[in-house]
Amino acid sequence: MSVLGSITRRVGRHRWFGTAVRLLVPADRALGRLTRGRVVALGLVPSLLITTTGRRSGQPRCNPLLYVPDGDAYVVVGSNWGQTHQPAWALNLLAEPSAEVDVRGRRIPVRAEVVTGAERDRLWRLLVTEWPAYEAYVERAGGREIRIFRLVPEVGGGPANPGGPHGRGGPGERRHPL
């Protein structure tokens, strides 16, 4: 991990950080599109671009997200920087679970599953290991359920680093579709 990445993880739990970074999301989204998902979040944390279908507009909606790999899937969390409302992309996935991710230059169709129970607990630990600020976001979210989604590739593909440091998963795991 880079020094800048390490510093980012430490300051990520502060409220001012979430506010400041939300202002940069449009620029991050544009950079991610220009690089076809090769550079998202300035490469400081494992990130992808997710394209969902707008639940009201029916139009494609693109958002940069931190992820952790889990077997052949990508795990993302609807923390919304600890705001009290759900992020639009998560609501879009609840309405239409088919989406597309751009990860390190690869475009992959995925199907979203909301993760619950023991599986959610396991994945939450992976997410917090990657981005400790998620714990502060839960406190700030005011009791809002912060959903965890497992994005499962529909055809081929999978994480750019399958079985990497967080690549777990296996038979017998229970996942709940939307």
Side-chain angles (χ1 to χ4, degrees):
M1 176 186 328
S2 72
V3 171
L4 188 54
S6 180
I7 291 169
T8 302
R9 282 176 174 82
R10 273 184 267 173
V11 299
R13 66 181 55 247
H14 298 284
R15 187 176 299 272
W16 63 263
F17 182 85
T19 302
V21 173
R22 276 195 310 276
L23 297 174
L24 298 175
V25 167
D28 191 30
R29 184 181 300 129
L31 180 62
R33 282 184 184 156
L34 286 171
T35 63
R36 297 183 184 204
R38 285 185 181 89
V39 179
V40 182
L42 301 176
L44 297 174
V45 293
S47 302
L48 55 77
L49 287 178
I50 187 167
T51 302
T52 60
T53 301
R55 66 192 180 288
R56 294 185 193 141
S57 69
Q59 298 299 309
R61 301 291 183 217
C62 183
N63 288 282
L65 299 174
L66 180 145
Y67 78 93
V68 294
D70 183 55
D72 63 344
Y74 306 90
V75 179
V76 295
V77 60
S79 67
N80 208 13
W81 303 98
Q83 295 182 79
T84 57
H85 59 279
Q86 299 288 345
W89 65 263
L91 296 172
N92 291 344
L93 284 179
L94 291 172
E96 172 53 62
S98 293
E100 193 171 76
V101 295
D102 288 320
V103 182
R104 296 184 184 176
R106 294 176 56 211
R107 181 167 286 176
I108 303 162
V110 295
R111 182 146 187 94
E113 303 170 341
V114 174
V115 183
T116 61
E119 179 71 352
R120 183 190 192 285
D121 295 341
R122 181 183 73 80
L123 294 175
W124 179 254
R125 287 189 299 275
L126 291 177
L127 287 158
V128 169
T129 297
E130 187 60 53
W131 188 250
Y134 283 140
E135 291 180 331
Y137 297 171
V138 168
E139 293 172 24
R140 288 199 303 252
R144 168 177 71 82
E145 177 190 3
I146 294 182
R147 292 184 178 97
I148 296 176
F149 294 89
R150 196 163 190 280
L151 306 174
V152 180
E154 294 206 274
V155 179
N161 183 16
H166 304 297
R168 293 179 179 82
E173 289 185 58
R174 184 174 172 146
R175 294 180 189 89
H176 301 275
L178 296 174

